[in-house]
Amino acid sequence: MTERPPRARSAHARSPRTTTQPPGTPAPVKGSTHAMANTETALKDAMTSIEGVIGVALVDYTSGMALGTLGGGKDLDLTVAAAGNTDVVRAKARTMEMLGLKDQIEDILITLGGQYHLIRLLSGRGKSGLFLYLALDKQRANLAMARHQLKRIENDLEV
Amino acid sequence: MAHEADVLDELARLRARLPDVTGVLASGVDGLVLAHDAPDTHPETLAALSSAGLGIGLRLSDAAGDRSFRELLVRGEHGYVALYAAGSACVLTVLAGPRINVGRLHMEARRSGAYLAHLLDGTADDREDA
C-alpha cells in the first residue's frame, strides 16, 4: 500500500457536527458529563487520525442505540447503521454460542464495493456491551492502519 | 374506520419486521381499539391506557416547552411498551421483549406510525419505498 500524507483529507469529512444524542432519538443515559466528553474525544480522534473515515459511532448493542456519532452526513445515517449493525453483532455472537466457541469477537470487517465497515467490540470495565463502528472510503483507507488506530482509540476510551 | 384491514396489515408487517415484538395495537385518541395483533393481552385495556399515556406524553412535552410529542418508551424488567403518535387521532402501541433492538424498534415503528397517519388522516405517505 502506498504511503499517504497524514491528515490530508478533504474538509467535508471533518465538518459534520458531533451528536452525542442524535435529534429525535432518546440516547441511553449513561455515565457522567465527563464520560460524554470522553466519548466525544474518542469519536473526534477516530475522525481525524484515521485516513478515509466517512463516519464513526459508539453503539450500545444491548439497546441498539448510539451513545455518540460523528460524520456520516446525509449519505450515511449513523443512527440507522447503529441499529442495523447491532443485529450483525448479535447474530455473530449467537452463532458462536451455537457453535460452542468459547471466544470473544475482536472485530468484524464488512467489505463493500466502495467502503469498508469496521466494527470493533469493546471490552473492559464499563465498556462491555459497546462497539465502535467505523465506515471507511475504500479508495483512501489503509485497513491495517485503521484497525491499529481503532485499537488505540479503544484503549484510550473511558465510558 | 374504513381502513381497518389496511391498519391490521401494517401492524402485521411491523410484527414481521421485528421478531422481538410481542404485540401491536392501534387505537384512537378516544381510547378505543382500531386494530390489534396482541395475543395474551387485553386490547381494550391497552387501548384505554395508551390513550391516557398519549395524554401524559403530550402534557409532559408541553410542560417541557415543546408541544411536538412523538413517542413514549416504557421499560420494564421483562420488556418494553412504546407509544408512537400516528397522526392527529391515532396512537400506535408496541409491546416488546427485553432483548429488542430499541434502535430498530424506533426506526420501524416511527415509519409505521407515519403510514398509519397517512391511512387515517389522509396525509402524504412519506415512506421512501411506498
Side-chain angles (χ1 to χ4, degrees):
Chain A
M1 218 171 267
T2 53
E3 272 302 312
R4 291 181 183 81
R7 292 168 201 198
R9 296 177 301 103
S10 56
H12 78 271
R14 233 173 301 171
S15 56
R17 68 208 162 85
T18 309
T19 51
T20 42
Q21 193 167 340
T25 308
V29 182
K30 280 209 169 180
S32 59
T33 46
H34 168 74
M36 300 274 282
N38 218 312
T39 297
E40 223 166 281
T41 311
L43 294 179
K44 273 182 193 153
D45 191 359
M47 258 337 256
T48 51
S49 68
I50 301 172
E51 192 72 22
V53 177
I54 299 163
V56 59
L58 179 67
V59 184
D60 173 4
Y61 64 85
T62 57
S63 71
M65 302 222 271
L67 271 61
T69 65
L70 192 59
K74 61 171 166 50
D75 299 326
L76 183 69
D77 186 334
L78 287 167
T79 311
V80 175
N85 284 288
T86 290
D87 288 341
V88 173
V89 170
R90 285 186 181 183
K92 188 62 206 173
R94 177 97 184 96
T95 306
M96 285 172 57
E97 193 185 310
M98 287 192 294
L99 289 170
L101 292 172
K102 306 255 181 298
D103 207 342
Q104 311 289 322
I105 305 171
E106 189 175 317
D107 59 24
I108 299 173
L109 170 69
I110 296 162
T111 310
L112 313 184
Q115 293 178 6
Y116 292 123
H117 289 189
L118 199 52
I119 296 166
R120 183 173 182 87
L121 277 79
L122 308 189
S123 54
R125 202 173 64 84
K127 288 194 281 186
S128 62
L130 303 179
F131 67 83
L132 270 165
Y133 171 78
L134 194 65
L136 298 163
D137 182 334
K138 212 170 165 181
Q139 296 298 314
R140 291 187 297 142
N142 177 332
L143 193 54
M145 194 55 107
R147 286 184 75 218
H148 178 72
Q149 294 284 6
L150 207 54
K151 196 170 186 170
R152 180 186 57 76
I153 290 162
E154 179 196 346
N155 290 333
D156 294 347
L157 175 67
E158 269 180 52
V159 181
Chain B
M1 286 291 170
H3 301 292
E4 195 187 324
D6 292 338
V7 172
L8 202 53
D9 277 352
E10 181 55 24
L11 296 186
R13 277 196 292 274
L14 180 60
R15 277 201 70 172
R17 285 196 291 261
L18 295 164
D20 283 324
V21 163
T22 54
V24 284
L25 177 125
S27 52
V29 288
D30 54 6
L32 297 177
V33 181
L34 293 175
H36 70 90
D37 179 5
D40 308 320
T41 62
H42 200 279
E44 286 77 19
T45 309
L46 267 179
L49 289 170
S50 295
S51 168
L54 186 72
I56 293 283
L58 277 165
R59 289 187 60 184
L60 261 175
S61 57
D62 197 8
D66 175 7
R67 294 186 60 92
S68 53
F69 170 83
R70 301 298 288 271
E71 62 211 28
L72 181 69
L73 183 72
V74 179
R75 183 183 176 201
E77 194 87 344
H78 305 291
Y80 294 87
V81 183
L83 303 180
Y84 299 86
S88 59
C90 177
V91 55
L92 172 65
T93 307
V94 183
L95 311 179
R99 298 256 312 133
I100 186 92
N101 180 340
V102 182
R104 270 199 67 199
L105 170 68
H106 283 324
M107 267 163 53
E108 301 286 2
R110 282 171 192 160
R111 197 170 167 281
S112 279
Y115 182 60
L116 293 185
H118 157 70
L119 286 179
L120 300 166
D121 288 359
T123 52
D125 183 3
D126 52 7
R127 295 175 306 162
E128 63 275 19
D129 56 347

